[in-house]
Amino acid sequence: MIRHIVLFTWTETATAEQKAAVTAELGKLPDLIPQLRAYTVGADAGINQGNHEFAVVADFDDVGDYLTYRDHPAHQKVIADHIKPILATRAAVQLSL
Amino acid sequence: MIRHIVLFTWTETATAEQKAAVTAELGKLPDLIPQLRAYTVGADAGINQGNHEFAVVADFDDVGDYLTYRDHPAHQKVIADHIKPILATRAAVQLSL
């Protein structure tokens, strides 16, 4: 299994509406990309200080399925239209489990 | 459910032995902290450039169980003895799912 993990921080000028759109648009991807075995996305719960603001955890059967998701036009469109305009920093890891 | 996610980068002087010890020592925690419902830890798979180097994804029934893990002496000892000595950067999010 491949577990793909990404954490984001947003720009100071990002609006609540823009942040909510990232959650909503990513949430449409499991219906469009069947290679997604499990998909958890959302904003930080506010338990600790100093956290990043948003997380994506996506599970795939293998590297090929992950690459299908990574490069899928529907995913790339969410990145271009909703994530990049408000992106401050990004941290990612793929685990092979 | 609370999903706790942390990504690390290590210092340039961190050795392979030190990095492997983080995986090994964190891997002992599920036997010591029964609140851990699921626990995936490991080094980045090397699929993409520019990634962080290590990830922890830990699932809990609720915030209280997460806090038990966060503040557990066995967990704090791994942080103090194995993570902090080689830590360069840390990014974290807790998702409430």
Side-chain angles (χ1 to χ4, degrees):
Chain A
M1 185 185 105
I2 294 290
R3 172 162 278 184
H4 165 64
I5 307 157
V6 193
L7 305 181
F8 298 112
T9 61
W10 305 129
T11 60
E12 288 187 14
T13 55
T15 67
E17 189 173 42
Q18 286 176 304
K19 296 175 189 178
V22 174
T23 304
E25 295 299 321
L26 288 176
K28 297 176 183 174
L29 296 182
D31 284 342
L32 302 172
I33 308 174
Q35 288 84 0
L36 273 165
R37 290 287 174 244
Y39 199 48
T40 56
V41 304
D44 180 65
I47 300 167
N48 295 320
Q49 297 295 311
N51 272 5
H52 273 43
E53 294 180 69
F54 192 89
V56 176
V57 180
D59 294 341
F60 304 91
D61 286 345
D62 54 38
V63 175
D65 281 1
Y66 160 65
L67 295 176
T68 297
Y69 162 84
R70 187 191 69 181
D71 301 333
H72 194 287
H75 181 217
Q76 288 297 320
K77 184 168 171 55
V78 178
I79 294 170
D81 293 353
H82 297 281
I83 294 176
K84 284 200 172 164
I86 62 169
L87 182 63
T89 67
R90 176 187 185 276
V93 160
Q94 288 84 43
L95 291 179
S96 182
L97 300 170
Chain B
M1 186 185 105
I2 294 290
R3 172 163 277 184
H4 165 65
I5 307 157
V6 193
L7 305 181
F8 298 113
T9 60
W10 305 129
T11 61
E12 288 187 12
T13 55
T15 67
E17 191 173 42
Q18 286 176 303
K19 297 175 189 178
V22 174
T23 303
E25 295 299 321
L26 287 176
K28 296 175 183 174
L29 296 182
D31 284 342
L32 302 172
I33 308 173
Q35 289 84 359
L36 272 164
R37 290 287 174 244
Y39 200 48
T40 55
V41 303
D44 180 66
I47 299 168
N48 295 321
Q49 297 295 310
N51 272 7
H52 272 43
E53 293 179 72
F54 192 87
V56 176
V57 181
D59 293 341
F60 304 90
D61 286 344
D62 53 38
V63 174
D65 281 1
Y66 160 65
L67 296 176
T68 296
Y69 162 84
R70 186 190 70 180
D71 302 332
H72 194 288
H75 180 218
Q76 289 296 322
K77 184 168 169 58
V78 179
I79 293 170
D81 292 354
H82 296 283
I83 293 176
K84 284 199 173 165
I86 63 169
L87 182 62
T89 67
R90 177 187 185 277
V93 161
Q94 289 85 42
L95 291 180
S96 182
L97 300 169

